[in-house]
Amino acid sequence: MSEIAHQDHIEKKAFLVNSSSLKDVRVFCREVFEKLHIQEDLKDELVLAIAEAAQNIVKHAFKNSASPTELMVVQISCENNKLQIAFYDRGTPVDPKKVKHREIDNVKPGGLGTFFIQEIMDAVEFKDGKKPWINHLVLTKQL
Amino acid sequence: MSYKVTEEGNISTVHLDGEIDMDVTEKAKEVIFPVIDSGKEVHLNLSQVQYMDSSGISVLIESHQRALEKNTKVIIKDVSKSVLKVIMMAKLEQILNLE
């Protein structure tokens, strides 16, 4: 847990649902974390977790075939030193019970994104997506 | 992502530059796999790669496994601190050949 008191802050941005947007998601996160004065190592981890969650939307919720105008929204908020990252998308509804990473000792390509997210964040929660959204993922981390 | 391939004796070195994510994994494979298939020892120089996600890690695993099938090896060189952290998070530092 950080000894720095981070200023309360909230910011959100919409991105096209495609793999080219992942870089933009990372840039957005880094800019927000700069404003929050989050230390470098933790910032790298958080950016990875957020980018993995965004990648899951592109790859799994939309199976790499979202319409060219389809959007996903990433919202980063910090309140009382608790960081919350919310994702909103209109892809295939996610069944949280089916979201699992591969066995880490069973070395093979794939299945690591969810593992990274769980390793880095304190909590991963799928909430009901309110219209017009279908999926609403919330990642939290105490700073 | 940009890349450069150099050859010296029986060693081919692939220098990758940039961020390795899902958007560039196919391009990375197109560069790395033919070099592995040539049967030479492959050095993957990652000194200019400052970010790698799970898709990039998958490319490293696939490259390692492909090299084993071809009776050669992939050695990952000069890994940046940030990428090493991701490799270690995936518990692959003992599986992949890191130098």
Side-chain angles (χ1 to χ4, degrees):
Chain A
M1 190 182 297
S2 167
E3 292 175 0
I4 302 167
H6 297 274
Q7 200 173 15
D8 287 0
H9 186 91
I10 184 163
E11 212 164 317
K12 69 177 172 182
K13 190 167 181 178
F15 302 90
L16 290 172
V17 180
N18 61 50
S19 62
S20 304
S21 294
L22 298 176
K23 189 165 193 171
D24 301 327
V25 170
R26 297 196 295 273
V27 169
F28 167 66
C29 297
R30 286 179 186 132
E31 285 173 356
V32 175
F33 294 150
E34 284 289 325
K35 293 175 193 169
L36 289 170
H37 303 293
I38 290 176
Q39 55 131 325
E40 208 63 32
D41 279 0
L42 178 58
K43 190 164 63 181
D44 287 346
E45 289 186 4
L46 292 169
V47 168
L48 177 63
I50 294 168
E52 293 290 356
Q55 182 183 154
N56 283 346
I57 293 173
V58 175
K59 200 171 9 179
H60 300 302
F62 285 91
K63 305 209 182 319
N64 291 318
S65 57
S67 80
T69 55
E70 188 67 44
L71 294 173
M72 58 182 167
V73 169
V74 180
Q75 176 178 291
I76 301 176
S77 57
C78 183
E79 193 177 353
N80 299 324
N81 264 15
K82 185 179 181 183
L83 187 70
Q84 186 175 83
I85 300 117
F87 299 81
Y88 301 87
D89 71 74
R90 299 188 305 166
T92 306
V94 174
D95 179 354
K97 290 186 212 108
K98 291 184 178 167
V99 178
K100 53 186 176 187
H101 57 80
R102 70 159 162 82
E103 292 296 321
I104 201 67
D105 293 330
N106 179 17
V107 178
K108 59 183 180 183
L112 280 173
T114 301
F115 176 75
F116 288 161
I117 295 168
Q118 291 174 349
E119 282 287 294
I120 294 164
M121 305 307 295
D122 294 335
V124 179
E125 192 179 359
F126 287 94
K127 297 189 172 182
D128 287 336
K130 294 194 173 111
K131 281 188 179 176
W133 305 109
I134 291 175
N135 294 309
H136 177 199
L137 171 68
V138 180
L139 311 179
T140 52
K141 178 97 175 172
Q142 190 67 45
L143 297 176
Chain B
M1 183 200 79
S2 60
Y3 70 92
K4 182 176 76 177
V5 182
T6 58
E7 311 241 345
E8 196 175 327
N10 199 36
I11 296 172
S12 294
T13 303
V14 180
H15 303 258
L16 297 180
D17 191 334
E19 300 194 325
I20 313 294
D21 67 5
M22 177 192 175
D23 198 37
V24 300
T25 49
E26 287 309 311
K27 184 178 173 188
K29 288 181 197 175
E30 283 171 17
V31 173
I32 299 165
F33 288 1
V35 183
I36 294 170
D37 292 349
S38 74
K40 288 188 173 180
E41 180 175 309
V42 179
H43 292 185
L44 259 185
N45 187 305
L46 301 183
S47 63
Q48 299 306 309
V49 176
Q50 297 305 319
Y51 175 85
M52 183 176 283
D53 68 5
S54 61
S55 298
I57 295 293
S58 288
V59 174
L60 299 185
I61 294 171
E62 280 185 74
S63 298
H64 175 76
Q65 292 177 339
R66 193 178 184 100
L68 291 177
E69 286 169 14
K70 305 282 178 185
N71 293 314
T72 182
K73 62 180 171 181
V74 171
I75 299 176
I76 299 168
K77 313 269 280 189
D78 298 332
V79 188
S80 64
K81 186 182 153 202
S82 51
V83 172
L84 180 61
K85 206 168 151 186
V86 181
I87 290 173
M88 292 179 77
M89 203 186 299
K91 301 184 178 12
L92 291 169
E93 69 273 22
Q94 302 296 329
I95 307 285
L96 303 173
N97 300 310
L98 299 176
E99 273 185 15

